[in-house]
Amino acid sequence: MVPVIIGPVCLVWFVIYLSLGHNFSSVIPLAYATSSLYAIWRFSKNKNLLIMQKTQMFLILLLPFFLMWSLGGFAQSGYIFLWAFFAPIASLIHEKKSKSIYWLYSFIALVIFSVFIDQWLMQLPLQKVSQSTIEVFIFLNISAALSGIYYLIKYFINENDKNAYQRLSDNISYLESYKSNIDNNLIVTRTDLDGFITFANQNFYNITGYTQADVIGQNHNIVRHPSTHKSVFVELWDTILSKKTWHGHIENLAKDGSSYWVDTTISPILNKDNEIVEFIAIRHNISKLIAQKNKLIEMLYVDSLTKLKNRNALLDKIKDPPRVSCMLINIDSFSQINNLYGEDFGNEVLKEFANFLLSEIEHIDNANLYRQSGDEFIITCTQRNTETIIAIATNLIHHNSENVITIRDQKISLNVTIGISLEKNKLLLQTAHMALIAAKRRSKILVIYSDELSLSTEYENNIRWIKEIKDAIYDDRITIYFQPIVDNANNKINKYETLIRLIDKDGNPIIPFHFLEIAKKAKLYKQLTKIVIKKSFEVFKETDYEFSINITIDDILDKDITAFIIKTLEKYNISNRVIFEIVESESIENFDKIEEFINKVKSYGCRISIDDFGTGYSNFEHLMRLQADFIKIDGSIIKEIAHDKRSALITSVIVAFAKEMGIETIGEYVENKEINDKLITLGVNKSQGYYFDKPQAILGKSNDKKDT
């Protein structure tokens, strides 16, 4: 802009000064005009506006002063220095505000310097210009200079207006994009202080089926589902009225009576005086996730063959009061029926026997029937009188002896053995199983659990194992084995699970089933955990493999163990390959501590895996809070997946849910090619089991027993 305004003007002044005999002075405007034309030509070639701007601003600042000095100072040509004021004006356009002030300071400094040298300039033998000529020049220069400044400022204002308009247009575009995304993905409403709706976005109307006329001015309970307890809303209002944000999952009701689930966040909007003026609710429709969860939970609670409640349902039921009694019923020698008639026939027998047991408990108050597994069934009831329970069991045994099951014209009579427990709920299954084992050992039909059944042998066994564990720790015979986890996408091994083993004095590896629980009771478990962690890191520090270490909830809650884990992570620079596999996740109570641990190890780059997923309600319920990167589908599901449609369906639901949550799935207990092929078909990401390799003492050693 400056070369365009001043360049032509300088050519005019070159001619004027030359005609007046000021040859030296005329060179200065000529030099500026020439440099302006050159700058415009260079800009047309390289488009480098910054260099042109800087050069022109320096020239326009300095040359007017040089010209004034060459003409004899203020008395002869004081009007010329006004052209130098273009420099600070132009800097407002092209420079940041913090830098433009320096151009003004430079202009003022040159003016002050000119004042100091003015007396000296007046004494120089220069050709004088008449007073009338000076007055004409003053008029022309001031008019031209001020006009140039005017147009420059006008240009500056116009450019600012354009930029402001462009920014406004961009912001409006962004806001429209944000609104579109919110309307497409979120449900948004605003309410006044009394809960009456003042605004709802389009997605709210799409999902609920209501119209604006139906909703605006109505209380928000228009979408309240009757199943939502009043206490939820009491807590909600207490939270938001205390100027805090409430978050939770709520089931809502649409206009047509259908329900939908939303992940809801409600926050108060405050004015400048920190007073609540309204509330905004932002919701995300999670109906699909809730439906998948409910479907999976339903499948996990029901036995696929008999349609009875299964062991998972029983475990969930007895977590809470009331205390119940338990009868564990085992069909004697049932494997002989399968061997003689085949599994399909045996399954029919089991279904008929289940129907028989259902008829037996009809007259028992608060009785429930469960299929434990295979040929075992469980009856629970709130009746806890020993004589009454024995009478119920005796009647059942008698009726069973008279009951004949007919399958395909074959008449089958079953004999049963029953173990009874009246212990506390948390010991119920364990003690009923001990009673059943005692009954079989003694060749009795019925045994009720008592402390004398196995305590003496248990004490003797405990003492032996405690000594064995202590000796193994002292002799460094606690070691780790490795089992590969295969990526189903490329059939490659890039991950191993580390598993604890105790090597006995004869060199035989002992699996943790035999010693781990005793180690916990003897307070030796913490030492074993530290050994496994340390040895795992030592082995894998020299490899590129990822590896998983099993830890329990008790490990995470133990400050000493977690401190040891963090110290180990800091010592070895391999955290990004470490996976902590949480076992017994259904026992979580203190979620805050668990989340604190997970956030801490994830900050180091570690990942989280959940073991035995699919065996109960709680681990599914807690999955999102555990921030899992992997879930291992329980082996009891995987083992049956090739032939049992229900196991396949459960797996497919788990896989779909995991993909929705961005979690990878691992199938364990993969024993043959048929199971592995089924897992790949269902979309399970990784596989682990004896089909690939059993746990080995040496990392990467193949067992070469893979089926073909």
Side-chain angles (χ1 to χ4, degrees):
M1 184 72 180
V2 172
V4 175
I5 294 174
I6 304 179
V9 174
C10 285
L11 287 175
V12 174
W13 285 108
F14 160 69
V15 174
I16 292 173
Y17 287 126
L18 187 63
S19 65
L20 293 174
H22 290 279
N23 297 335
F24 176 75
S25 299
S26 66
V27 173
I28 295 174
L30 178 63
Y32 182 82
T34 304
S35 67
S36 296
L37 292 173
Y38 176 75
I40 293 171
W41 176 78
R42 287 290 298 169
F43 175 71
S44 68
K45 295 294 183 182
N46 58 25
K47 304 301 182 184
N48 192 331
L49 183 62
L50 181 62
I51 293 177
M52 186 181 78
Q53 288 173 350
K54 292 289 185 183
T55 303
Q56 293 299 309
M57 286 170 66
F58 274 111
L59 289 174
I60 195 61
L61 177 67
L62 296 174
L63 292 184
F65 283 97
F66 289 160
L67 181 57
M68 181 179 73
W69 298 336
S70 71
L71 293 171
F74 286 107
Q76 289 291 310
S77 56
Y79 49 84
I80 296 176
F81 80 94
L82 289 175
W83 289 98
F85 197 63
F86 270 86
I89 294 296
S91 70
L92 290 173
I93 300 173
H94 303 302
E95 298 276 358
K96 293 181 179 178
K97 291 183 179 179
S98 59
K99 291 185 177 181
S100 64
I101 191 68
Y102 293 113
W103 290 92
L104 178 61
Y105 292 159
S106 300
F107 173 79
I108 295 172
L110 288 168
V111 173
I112 294 172
F113 178 74
S114 298
V115 171
F116 277 115
I117 66 172
D118 192 55
Q119 289 298 322
W120 174 73
L121 292 173
M122 291 174 64
Q123 297 172 9
L124 292 176
L126 299 174
Q127 183 176 343
K128 302 299 181 181
V129 181
S130 66
Q131 186 61 35
S132 60
T133 303
I134 291 174
E135 290 175 358
V136 171
F137 283 178
I138 290 173
F139 170 76
L140 292 175
N141 273 273
I142 291 177
S143 299
L146 292 180
S147 297
I149 292 172
Y150 168 80
Y151 283 108
L152 200 58
I153 293 174
K154 183 179 180 181
Y155 169 79
F156 171 64
I157 293 172
N158 288 340
E159 283 298 305
N160 275 351
D161 287 346
K162 287 179 183 178
N163 292 336
Y165 179 78
Q166 185 60 46
R167 288 195 297 270
L168 180 61
S169 298
D170 290 343
N171 289 337
I172 291 173
S173 177
Y174 295 150
L175 288 173
E176 288 176 349
S177 179
Y178 294 150
K179 182 179 183 300
S180 175
N181 277 288
I182 289 171
D183 280 341
N184 291 333
N185 296 285
L186 298 175
I187 306 166
V188 181
T189 56
R190 296 203 315 264
T191 64
D192 61 19
L193 298 181
D194 298 317
F196 291 99
I197 300 172
T198 58
F199 167 81
N201 73 338
Q202 187 58 46
N203 206 25
F204 175 88
Y205 299 126
N206 294 341
I207 290 174
T208 64
Y210 285 107
T211 65
Q212 187 174 11
D214 296 329
V215 169
I216 301 302
Q218 297 296 316
N219 194 282
H220 221 294
N221 60 19
I222 192 173
V223 294
R224 180 184 295 184
H225 196 282
S227 66
T228 306
H229 197 273
K230 184 179 178 181
S231 60
V232 173
F233 298 102
V234 171
E235 180 201 353
L236 186 159
W237 276 102
D238 286 345
T239 301
I240 61 178
L241 287 175
S242 62
K243 301 177 182 178
K244 298 177 182 177
T245 296
W246 184 89
H247 178 262
H249 295 169
I250 297 181
E251 185 177 13
N252 282 343
L253 203 62
K255 186 176 182 179
D256 62 5
S258 61
S259 64
Y260 62 97
W261 281 87
V262 286
D263 179 84
T264 304
T265 300
I266 303 177
S267 300
I269 304 299
L270 309 178
N271 62 14
K272 62 182 179 61
D273 298 321
N274 203 35
E275 298 170 335
I276 300 174
V277 293
E278 64 176 356
F279 301 102
I280 186 167
I282 300 174
R283 307 172 187 82
H284 177 60
N285 190 348
I286 57 170
S287 300
K288 184 178 178 181
L289 288 177
I290 295 295
Q292 287 179 333
K293 184 194 79 171
N294 291 339
K295 185 178 180 181
L296 181 58
I297 291 170
E298 182 182 346
M299 288 188 292
L300 292 174
Y301 274 141
V302 178
D303 175 60
S304 60
L305 177 66
T306 62
K307 308 306 178 186
L308 297 175
K309 296 175 184 177
N310 62 14
R311 176 184 173 87
N312 297 328
L314 173 59
L315 291 173
D316 191 66
K317 182 75 172 178
I318 62 177
K319 283 180 182 177
D320 303 312
R323 287 181 62 177
V324 294
S325 58
C326 172
M327 285 187 281
L328 177 56
I329 304 163
N330 176 256
I331 303 174
D332 297 337
S333 305
F334 184 76
S335 60
Q336 294 179 8
I337 295 176
N338 281 337
N339 293 337
L340 184 60
Y341 297 104
E343 288 189 8
D344 290 343
F345 186 93
N347 288 341
E348 294 298 319
V349 173
L350 289 173
K351 288 194 282 187
E352 289 299 319
F353 184 68
N355 291 333
F356 161 73
L357 293 178
L358 283 172
S359 65
E360 285 293 304
I361 67 171
E362 285 180 351
H363 64 282
I364 304 174
D365 292 337
N366 300 315
N368 289 289
L369 176 63
Y370 305 86
R371 186 186 178 198
Q372 160 93 333
S373 63
D375 55 4
E376 289 185 348
F377 295 81
I378 293 175
I379 295 174
T380 64
C381 65
T382 52
Q383 175 59 255
R384 291 182 45 78
N385 179 273
T386 304
E387 293 181 359
T388 304
I389 291 298
I390 292 175
I392 291 172
T394 303
N395 284 334
L396 188 152
I397 293 168
H398 174 68
H399 294 158
N400 180 66
S401 65
E402 297 177 342
N403 181 52
V404 178
I405 297 174
T406 302
I407 307 290
R408 304 173 195 171
D409 298 327
Q410 297 292 325
K411 297 185 182 296
I412 306 294
S413 295
L414 301 176
N415 295 317
V416 297
T417 302
I418 299 178
I420 296 176
S421 174
L422 302 174
E423 299 300 305
K424 294 179 180 179
N425 285 5
K426 66 179 181 179
L427 301 173
L428 207 56
L429 296 186
Q430 177 186 346
T431 50
H433 182 67
M434 292 173 68
L436 180 64
I437 292 174
K440 288 185 176 291
R441 285 176 180 170
R442 300 174 186 178
S443 300
K444 291 187 176 182
I445 298 175
L446 173 66
V447 167
I448 188 166
Y449 175 82
S450 64
D451 292 341
E452 291 76 23
L453 275 180
S454 60
L455 284 180
S456 58
T457 56
E458 185 178 346
Y459 288 149
E460 186 178 314
N461 183 61
N462 287 349
I463 291 170
R464 180 178 70 83
W465 273 110
I466 290 171
K467 184 178 185 307
E468 182 70 34
I469 295 167
K470 287 182 177 179
D471 289 346
I473 293 173
Y474 182 79
D475 296 336
D476 194 25
R477 288 187 283 107
I478 302 298
T479 188
I480 53 175
Y481 272 42
F482 314 94
Q483 188 171 33
I485 299 173
V486 177
D487 191 328
N488 288 332
N490 53 28
N491 204 36
K492 291 183 178 179
I493 298 170
N494 55 20
K495 188 191 307 291
Y496 283 87
E497 180 178 4
T498 59
L499 302 163
I500 188 172
R501 294 291 186 269
L502 184 152
I503 309 300
D504 68 16
K505 293 180 180 178
D506 296 325
N508 300 311
I510 308 298
I511 62 174
F513 172 81
H514 297 288
F515 63 86
L516 211 54
E517 287 302 317
I518 295 172
K520 290 179 180 179
K521 294 175 183 177
K523 301 190 183 303
L524 298 170
Y525 176 78
K526 185 185 296 187
Q527 290 176 260
L528 300 182
T529 300
K530 289 183 177 181
I531 291 171
V532 170
I533 293 171
K534 181 179 179 181
K535 289 193 173 185
S536 297
F537 275 78
E538 279 294 325
V539 170
F540 283 95
K541 71 178 182 180
E542 303 297 338
T543 75
D544 293 327
Y545 292 117
E546 297 176 356
F547 62 100
S548 61
I549 301 173
N550 293 323
I551 57 172
T552 66
I553 298 304
D554 289 336
D555 289 332
I556 296 174
L557 296 177
D558 189 308
K559 292 182 179 179
D560 186 34
I561 292 291
T562 55
F564 181 80
I565 288 172
I566 299 304
K567 184 177 179 181
T568 306
L569 290 174
E570 292 174 347
K571 179 180 178 182
Y572 298 86
N573 189 27
I574 58 173
S575 302
N576 62 313
R577 294 192 280 115
V578 179
I579 300 159
F580 289 106
E581 190 167 315
I582 300 178
V583 300
E584 304 172 2
S585 60
E586 71 276 2
S587 63
I588 297 176
E589 292 180 359
N590 190 341
F591 249 113
D592 291 339
K593 291 292 183 183
I594 304 303
E595 287 184 302
E596 182 181 337
F597 169 80
I598 289 173
N599 290 331
K600 184 68 174 177
V601 297
K602 283 208 165 196
S603 71
Y604 285 89
C606 303
R607 286 165 289 171
I608 299 297
S609 178
I610 306 301
D611 195 25
D612 296 334
F613 186 75
T615 57
Y617 171 76
S618 58
N619 63 3
F620 185 91
E621 186 73 11
H622 301 333
L623 181 62
M624 287 182 283
R625 294 188 66 182
L626 290 175
Q627 304 177 47
D629 300 285
F630 304 93
I631 54 176
K632 274 193 174 180
I633 304 171
D634 186 66
S636 63
I637 298 173
I638 301 300
K639 286 179 179 179
E640 306 296 329
I641 199 168
H643 305 289
D644 182 55
K645 291 183 179 180
R646 194 173 187 83
S647 294
L649 182 58
I650 291 173
T651 302
S652 66
V653 173
I654 292 174
V655 169
F657 180 83
K659 285 182 178 178
E660 189 84 20
M661 299 296 295
I663 300 171
E664 290 195 52
T665 49
I666 303 172
E668 54 183 347
Y669 291 91
V670 180
E671 297 175 349
N672 54 55
K673 186 176 186 297
E674 191 176 9
I675 291 175
N676 193 56
D677 289 345
K678 186 69 173 178
L679 291 179
I680 293 173
T681 302
L682 292 173
V684 176
N685 301 107
K686 302 179 189 299
S687 296
Q688 177 183 1
Y690 275 40
Y691 170 57
F692 301 102
D693 205 355
K694 69 178 183 180
Q696 298 285 350
I698 301 174
L699 183 65
K701 180 181 178 182
S702 176
N703 199 35
D704 296 328
K705 288 188 177 180
K706 185 173 176 180
D707 295 343
T708 58

